[in-house]
Amino acid sequence: MTGPDFRHIELGDVASTNLECMERARAGDAGHLWITAERQTGGRARRGRNWVSEPGNLYSSLLLIDPAPWEALASLPLAVTLAVHDAIASVLPGEAAESLRIKWPNDMLIDGQKTSGILIEAEQLADGRRAVVIGCGVNVAHFPEASLYPATCLADQGSAVTPQDLFARLVVSMDRTLNDWDQGRGLAGIRDAWIERAQGIGKPVTVNLPDRQIHGLFDGIDDEGRLMLAMPDGSRQMIASGDVFFS
Protein backbone atom coordinates (compact mmCIF):
# COMPACT_ATOMS: atom_id res chain seq x y z
CA MET A 1 0.00 0.00 0.00
CA THR A 2 1.83 3.07 -1.22
CA GLY A 3 0.12 6.44 -0.91
CA PRO A 4 -3.44 7.28 0.11
CA ASP A 5 -4.89 6.20 -3.26
CA PHE A 6 -8.11 4.80 -1.81
CA ARG A 7 -11.41 5.28 -3.59
CA HIS A 8 -14.19 6.96 -1.62
CA ILE A 9 -17.97 6.68 -1.91
CA GLU A 10 -20.04 9.08 0.17
CA LEU A 11 -23.60 8.01 0.97
CA GLY A 12 -26.58 9.46 2.83
CA ASP A 13 -28.58 7.04 4.98
CA VAL A 14 -27.36 3.43 5.05
CA ALA A 15 -27.99 0.48 7.31
CA SER A 16 -24.26 0.22 8.04
CA THR A 17 -21.11 1.28 6.25
CA ASN A 18 -19.55 -2.09 7.12
CA LEU A 19 -22.45 -3.88 5.44
CA GLU A 20 -22.17 -1.64 2.38
CA CYS A 21 -18.49 -2.53 2.05
CA MET A 22 -19.06 -6.26 2.49
CA GLU A 23 -21.87 -6.32 -0.07
CA ARG A 24 -19.60 -4.63 -2.60
CA ALA A 25 -16.86 -7.16 -1.84
CA ARG A 26 -19.29 -10.01 -2.49
CA ALA A 27 -20.17 -8.37 -5.80
CA GLY A 28 -16.51 -8.37 -6.85
CA ASP A 29 -15.14 -4.99 -5.69
CA ALA A 30 -11.34 -4.87 -5.78
CA GLY A 31 -11.06 -3.19 -2.38
CA HIS A 32 -9.05 -0.18 -1.27
CA LEU A 33 -12.47 1.45 -0.88
CA TRP A 34 -13.72 3.82 1.80
CA ILE A 35 -17.45 4.27 2.34
CA THR A 36 -18.80 7.06 4.53
CA ALA A 37 -22.40 7.85 5.42
CA GLU A 38 -24.25 10.77 6.95
CA ARG A 39 -26.35 8.42 9.06
CA GLN A 40 -26.57 4.71 9.85
CA THR A 41 -29.93 3.10 10.54
CA GLY A 42 -28.44 -0.18 11.71
CA GLY A 43 -24.99 0.69 13.06
CA ARG A 44 -23.32 -2.03 15.07
CA ALA A 45 -20.62 -2.16 17.72
CA ARG A 46 -18.69 -5.12 19.09
CA ARG A 47 -20.69 -8.12 20.30
CA GLY A 48 -23.67 -7.11 18.20
CA ARG A 49 -24.47 -3.99 20.18
CA ASN A 50 -26.23 -1.10 18.46
CA TRP A 51 -24.21 2.02 17.69
CA VAL A 52 -26.09 5.34 17.82
CA SER A 53 -25.61 6.79 14.34
CA GLU A 54 -27.34 10.14 13.90
CA PRO A 55 -26.03 12.83 11.48
CA GLY A 56 -23.06 14.89 12.62
CA ASN A 57 -20.67 12.10 13.55
CA LEU A 58 -18.18 10.17 11.39
CA TYR A 59 -19.36 6.81 10.07
CA SER A 60 -16.75 5.20 7.85
CA SER A 61 -15.61 1.78 6.69
CA LEU A 62 -12.61 0.66 4.67
CA LEU A 63 -12.75 -2.43 2.45
CA LEU A 64 -9.49 -4.32 1.92
CA ILE A 65 -9.11 -7.49 -0.12
CA ASP A 66 -6.43 -9.97 0.97
CA PRO A 67 -4.54 -7.32 2.98
CA ALA A 68 -2.20 -9.87 4.61
CA PRO A 69 -1.72 -13.59 5.20
CA TRP A 70 -4.41 -15.01 7.45
CA GLU A 71 -2.06 -15.55 10.39
CA ALA A 72 -0.99 -11.88 10.32
CA LEU A 73 -4.52 -10.48 10.50
CA ALA A 74 -4.72 -11.01 14.28
CA SER A 75 -2.51 -7.94 14.73
CA LEU A 76 -4.35 -5.74 12.21
CA PRO A 77 -6.62 -4.21 14.90
CA LEU A 78 -3.55 -2.78 16.66
CA ALA A 79 -2.57 -0.86 13.52
CA VAL A 80 -6.13 0.30 12.87
CA THR A 81 -6.49 1.56 16.43
CA LEU A 82 -3.29 3.58 16.13
CA ALA A 83 -4.56 5.18 12.93
CA VAL A 84 -7.83 6.23 14.55
CA HIS A 85 -6.02 7.51 17.64
CA ASP A 86 -3.65 9.65 15.61
CA ALA A 87 -6.42 11.09 13.43
CA ILE A 88 -8.45 12.12 16.47
CA ALA A 89 -5.41 13.48 18.33
CA SER A 90 -4.61 15.74 15.40
CA VAL A 91 -7.90 17.65 15.76
CA LEU A 92 -8.04 18.04 19.56
CA PRO A 93 -6.71 21.02 21.54
CA GLY A 94 -3.74 20.45 23.83
CA GLU A 95 -5.17 19.05 27.06
CA ALA A 96 -7.77 16.90 25.35
CA ALA A 97 -5.16 15.51 22.94
CA GLU A 98 -2.89 14.63 25.85
CA SER A 99 -5.72 12.80 27.63
CA LEU A 100 -6.67 10.76 24.52
CA ARG A 101 -5.93 7.12 25.30
CA ILE A 102 -6.66 3.71 23.82
CA LYS A 103 -8.91 1.49 25.90
CA TRP A 104 -8.37 -2.17 25.11
CA PRO A 105 -9.19 -3.51 22.67
CA ASN A 106 -9.87 -0.53 20.41
CA ASP A 107 -11.97 2.23 21.97
CA MET A 108 -10.74 5.83 22.26
CA LEU A 109 -11.11 7.63 25.58
CA ILE A 110 -10.78 11.35 26.19
CA ASP A 111 -10.32 11.90 29.91
CA GLY A 112 -11.84 8.47 30.49
CA GLN A 113 -14.87 9.02 28.22
CA LYS A 114 -15.46 7.00 25.07
CA THR A 115 -15.42 8.94 21.82
CA SER A 116 -15.04 6.28 19.13
CA GLY A 117 -15.32 2.61 18.34
CA ILE A 118 -13.90 0.21 15.77
CA LEU A 119 -15.48 -2.92 14.31
CA ILE A 120 -13.40 -5.18 12.04
CA GLU A 121 -15.09 -7.97 10.11
CA ALA A 122 -13.68 -10.55 7.70
CA GLU A 123 -15.28 -12.93 5.24
CA GLN A 124 -14.02 -15.56 2.83
CA LEU A 125 -15.63 -14.70 -0.51
CA ALA A 126 -17.04 -17.20 -2.98
CA ASP A 127 -14.18 -16.53 -5.42
CA GLY A 128 -11.55 -17.37 -2.79
CA ARG A 129 -10.58 -13.82 -1.89
CA ARG A 130 -10.71 -12.64 1.72
CA ALA A 131 -12.57 -9.42 2.43
CA VAL A 132 -11.66 -7.38 5.50
CA VAL A 133 -13.86 -4.44 6.47
CA ILE A 134 -12.60 -1.87 8.99
CA GLY A 135 -15.43 0.17 10.49
CA CYS A 136 -14.55 3.39 12.34
CA GLY A 137 -17.17 5.50 14.11
CA VAL A 138 -16.26 8.72 15.91
CA ASN A 139 -18.47 10.94 18.07
CA VAL A 140 -17.84 14.31 16.45
CA ALA A 141 -20.93 16.40 17.28
CA HIS A 142 -22.87 14.24 19.74
CA PHE A 143 -22.77 11.00 21.74
CA PRO A 144 -25.20 8.50 23.27
CA GLU A 145 -26.39 9.47 26.73
CA ALA A 146 -27.07 5.90 27.82
CA SER A 147 -24.13 3.62 27.05
CA LEU A 148 -21.98 0.94 28.66
CA TYR A 149 -19.24 3.51 29.38
CA PRO A 150 -19.23 7.29 29.96
CA ALA A 151 -19.09 8.98 26.55
CA THR A 152 -18.14 12.32 25.00
CA CYS A 153 -17.74 13.92 21.59
CA LEU A 154 -15.03 15.99 19.93
CA ALA A 155 -17.14 19.15 19.96
CA ASP A 156 -17.50 18.95 23.74
CA GLN A 157 -13.73 18.61 23.98
CA GLY A 158 -13.06 21.86 22.16
CA SER A 159 -12.65 20.62 18.59
CA ALA A 160 -14.40 22.36 15.69
CA VAL A 161 -13.58 19.58 13.22
CA THR A 162 -16.27 18.40 10.80
CA PRO A 163 -16.83 14.71 9.98
CA GLN A 164 -15.45 15.40 6.49
CA ASP A 165 -12.24 16.98 7.79
CA LEU A 166 -11.72 14.19 10.31
CA PHE A 167 -12.26 11.59 7.61
CA ALA A 168 -9.59 13.22 5.42
CA ARG A 169 -7.13 12.93 8.30
CA LEU A 170 -8.18 9.33 8.96
CA VAL A 171 -7.49 8.34 5.36
CA VAL A 172 -3.94 9.65 5.66
CA SER A 173 -3.23 8.15 9.09
CA MET A 174 -4.72 4.79 8.09
CA ASP A 175 -2.57 4.62 4.97
CA ARG A 176 0.55 5.50 6.96
CA THR A 177 -0.16 3.02 9.74
CA LEU A 178 -1.04 0.15 7.40
CA ASN A 179 2.24 0.76 5.61
CA ASP A 180 4.08 0.71 8.94
CA TRP A 181 2.26 -2.51 9.90
CA ASP A 182 3.39 -3.96 6.55
CA GLN A 183 1.21 -7.10 6.58
CA GLY A 184 2.38 -7.88 10.10
CA ARG A 185 6.09 -7.48 9.43
CA GLY A 186 6.16 -4.16 11.30
CA LEU A 187 4.25 -5.47 14.28
CA ALA A 188 6.92 -4.75 16.90
CA GLY A 189 6.82 -1.00 16.28
CA ILE A 190 3.03 -0.96 16.06
CA ARG A 191 2.71 -2.81 19.36
CA ASP A 192 5.12 -0.43 21.12
CA ALA A 193 3.23 2.60 19.82
CA TRP A 194 -0.08 1.07 20.93
CA ILE A 195 1.22 0.49 24.45
CA GLU A 196 2.50 4.10 24.65
CA ARG A 197 -1.05 5.31 24.00
CA ALA A 198 -2.88 2.77 26.18
CA GLN A 199 -5.05 3.53 29.17
CA GLY A 200 -4.36 1.78 32.46
CA ILE A 201 -1.18 -0.24 31.90
CA GLY A 202 -0.14 -1.67 35.27
CA LYS A 203 -3.42 -0.74 36.93
CA PRO A 204 -6.22 -2.93 38.34
CA VAL A 205 -8.96 -3.86 35.87
CA THR A 206 -12.08 -5.96 35.80
CA VAL A 207 -12.75 -7.91 32.61
CA ASN A 208 -16.32 -8.98 31.95
CA LEU A 209 -16.47 -12.23 30.00
CA PRO A 210 -19.68 -13.90 28.78
CA ASP A 211 -19.71 -16.26 31.76
CA ARG A 212 -17.70 -14.55 34.51
CA GLN A 213 -15.66 -11.59 35.74
CA ILE A 214 -11.88 -11.63 36.11
CA HIS A 215 -9.88 -9.18 38.25
CA GLY A 216 -6.17 -8.48 37.83
CA LEU A 217 -3.56 -5.97 36.69
CA PHE A 218 -3.46 -4.81 33.07
CA ASP A 219 -0.01 -6.08 32.05
CA GLY A 220 0.03 -4.99 28.41
CA ILE A 221 -0.78 -6.88 25.21
CA ASP A 222 0.84 -9.74 23.33
CA ASP A 223 1.68 -9.87 19.60
CA GLU A 224 -1.91 -10.81 18.72
CA GLY A 225 -3.36 -7.91 20.66
CA ARG A 226 -4.64 -10.07 23.51
CA LEU A 227 -4.85 -8.43 26.91
CA MET A 228 -2.28 -9.78 29.36
CA LEU A 229 -3.79 -9.94 32.84
CA ALA A 230 -1.51 -10.41 35.84
CA MET A 231 -3.44 -12.41 38.41
CA PRO A 232 -3.17 -12.16 42.22
CA ASP A 233 -1.58 -15.64 42.40
CA GLY A 234 1.27 -14.56 40.13
CA SER A 235 -0.03 -16.26 37.01
CA ARG A 236 -0.92 -14.48 33.79
CA GLN A 237 -4.08 -14.86 31.73
CA MET A 238 -4.45 -13.93 28.08
CA ILE A 239 -7.82 -12.39 27.18
CA ALA A 240 -8.84 -12.30 23.52
CA SER A 241 -12.21 -10.60 23.97
CA GLY A 242 -14.04 -8.92 26.84
CA ASP A 243 -15.26 -5.66 28.31
CA VAL A 244 -12.66 -3.88 30.45
CA PHE A 245 -13.49 -1.64 33.39
CA PHE A 246 -10.83 0.28 35.31
CA SER A 247 -11.00 0.04 39.08
Side-chain angles (χ1 to χ4, degrees), residues 103-124:
K103 175 182 171 295
W104 184 90
N106 51 29
D107 290 338
M108 300 298 150
L109 304 182
I110 302 175
D111 195 24
Q113 301 170 91
K114 181 174 177 177
T115 192
S116 77
I118 296 167
L119 178 63
I120 301 177
E121 300 177 294
E123 181 177 309
Q124 190 78 28

Side-chain angles (χ1 to χ4, degrees), residues 91-105:
V91 303
L92 288 172
E95 286 189 10
E98 290 175 7
S99 71
L100 179 67
R101 310 300 291 175
I102 298 170
K103 175 182 171 295
W104 184 90

Side-chain angles (χ1 to χ4, degrees), residues 27-247:
D29 194 281
H32 232 54
L33 170 68
W34 279 101
I35 289 181
T36 57
E38 291 184 13
R39 178 173 175 264
Q40 294 184 127
T41 58
R44 292 165 297 131
R46 291 189 310 116
R47 300 193 170 195
R49 300 186 182 105
N50 291 331
W51 179 267
V52 175
S53 306
E54 293 304 314
N57 289 344
L58 174 62
Y59 311 113
S60 63
S61 294
L62 171 61
L63 170 64
L64 301 175
I65 301 294
D66 294 322
W70 179 251
E71 60 274 11
L73 288 178
S75 64
L76 174 61
L78 300 181
V80 170
T81 305
L82 280 184
V84 175
H85 175 283
D86 291 354
I88 294 174
S90 72
V91 303
L92 288 172
E95 286 189 10
E98 290 175 7
S99 71
L100 179 67
R101 310 300 291 175
I102 298 170
K103 175 182 171 295
W104 184 90
N106 51 29
D107 290 338
M108 300 298 150
L109 304 182
I110 302 175
D111 195 24
Q113 301 170 91
K114 181 174 177 177
T115 192
S116 77
I118 296 167
L119 178 63
I120 301 177
E121 300 177 294
E123 181 177 309
Q124 190 78 28
L125 302 173
D127 60 7
R129 300 179 305 153
R130 181 175 293 111
V132 177
V133 177
I134 300 166
C136 307
V138 183
N139 298 336
V140 177
H142 53 81
F143 59 91
E145 297 292 343
S147 61
L148 195 60
Y149 307 100
T152 188
C153 64
L154 303 187
D156 282 3
Q157 298 296 326
S159 175
V161 72
T162 65
Q164 294 77 15
D165 290 341
L166 179 60
F167 173 67
R169 292 172 182 263
L170 177 60
V171 170
V172 173
S173 65
M174 188 70 73
D175 179 73
R176 180 182 64 247
T177 307
L178 290 177
N179 276 296
D180 290 345
W181 177 64
D182 192 20
Q183 298 187 342
R185 290 182 287 266
L187 174 58
I190 292 292
R191 180 177 176 271
D192 288 347
W194 192 102
I195 289 173
E196 287 176 5
R197 294 160 172 78
Q199 173 89 355
I201 297 285
K203 295 183 178 179
V205 295
T206 297
V207 183
N208 285 356
L209 303 177
D211 58 344
R212 66 191 192 283
Q213 282 189 339
I214 301 180
H215 306 277
L217 295 180
F218 183 15
D219 201 27
I221 56 171
D222 68 3
D223 287 345
E224 295 183 2
R226 295 180 298 179
L227 183 148
M228 298 189 297
L229 197 64
M231 306 301 291
D233 63 2
S235 65
R236 176 184 284 173
Q237 287 204 24
M238 315 302 287
I239 310 295
S241 177
D243 291 314
V244 171
F245 297 86
F246 299 104
S247 302

